[in-house]
Amino acid sequence: AQKVTQAQTEISVVEKEDVTLDCVYETRDTTYYLFWYKQPPSGELVFLIRRNSFDEQNEISGRYSWNFQKSTSSFNFTITASQVVDSAVYFCALSEGGRNTDKLIFGTGTRLQVFP
Amino acid sequence: EAGVAQSPRYKIIEKRQSVAFWCNPISGHATLYWYQQILGQGPKLLIQFQNNGVVDDSQLPKDRFSAERLKGVDSTLKIQPAKLEDSAVYLCASSRDRDTEAFFGQGTRLTVV
């Protein structure tokens, strides 16, 4: 069965610190997609990234970077030089059936608090 | 481009009452999803539409929940009768098709007392 585990319930950092959010997944599919979403206090889920199971290249987008390691079934997310505006709940998710967005399986989320 | 619109933002009802939530997806998006997010948990898919047809409703409690998307655009999710455990945020999302990323609305926070 598909499952996403985000073991870190809450992380607190001071502005400008780097922070890594962990995500471990389980799936029997050979083709699957992984996602990260940000949920600010306003409530909507903001799409950050999707990665397919055949692409293990790390990705960097500004202060955000993602490390996908199939060998350990992990898809970790790092924020460099964190800012107060990064404070939110971050969800890692996995899609079933090899399609991009069908039936996302979400983890329980990691609440990130960045203090000035 | 306007985002996914949901209403109401908040709703408080007593158990055994009925409630309905409305979602207007992004224009041109064929796929529409309803998720339930209980406090402290990740969202869970309740139902997925492709145009006006249901793709997946395997996790929808059909004895009390119903959803429709009659014209393939707006959608309504109904709970009748509500239970205390239905207290959650109900998120609507849409995507251009099943192969593109989903965009979420701000959700409706339901409290059942």
Side-chain angles (χ1 to χ4, degrees), chain A residues 29-59:
Chain A
D29 291 339
T30 55
T31 303
Y32 53 88
Y33 290 85
L34 295 164
F35 302 78
W36 276 95
Y37 280 87
K38 173 181 179 180
Q39 189 173 42
S42 54
E44 78 277 21
L45 283 162
V46 178
F47 168 81
L48 295 178
I49 189 171
R50 71 171 174 235
R51 178 52 55 93
N52 76 55
S53 53
F54 297 108
D55 182 2
E56 288 193 69
Q57 279 193 337
N58 292 333
E59 181 156 341

Side-chain angles (χ1 to χ4, degrees), chain A residues 35 37 39 41-47 50 89 91 96 98-109 111, chain B residues 9 33 35 37 40-43 45 48 55-56 58-59 91 95 97-106:
Chain A
F35 302 78
Y37 280 87
Q39 189 173 42
S42 54
E44 78 277 21
L45 283 162
V46 178
F47 168 81
R50 71 171 174 235
V89 180
F91 289 96
E96 292 187 339
R99 301 295 293 274
N100 235 1
T101 57
D102 280 1
K103 199 168 185 175
L104 288 172
I105 308 297
F106 284 87
T108 51
R111 180 178 300 277
Chain B
R9 285 296 313 277
Y33 311 81
Y35 283 85
Q37 186 178 15
Q41 299 182 17
L45 180 69
Q48 176 185 348
V55 174
D56 185 340
S58 57
Q59 297 191 98
L91 294 162
S95 60
D97 206 337
R98 295 174 69 179
D99 282 342
T100 57
E101 69 266 25
F103 295 87
F104 284 77
Q106 290 187 305

Side-chain angles (χ1 to χ4, degrees), chain B residues 51-71:
Chain B
N51 296 308
N52 60 353
V54 175
V55 174
D56 185 340
D57 63 357
S58 57
Q59 297 191 98
L60 187 74
K62 298 181 186 64
D63 57 334
R64 297 183 301 106
F65 285 64
S66 65
E68 59 184 16
R69 194 186 183 200
L70 292 176
K71 296 181 180 179

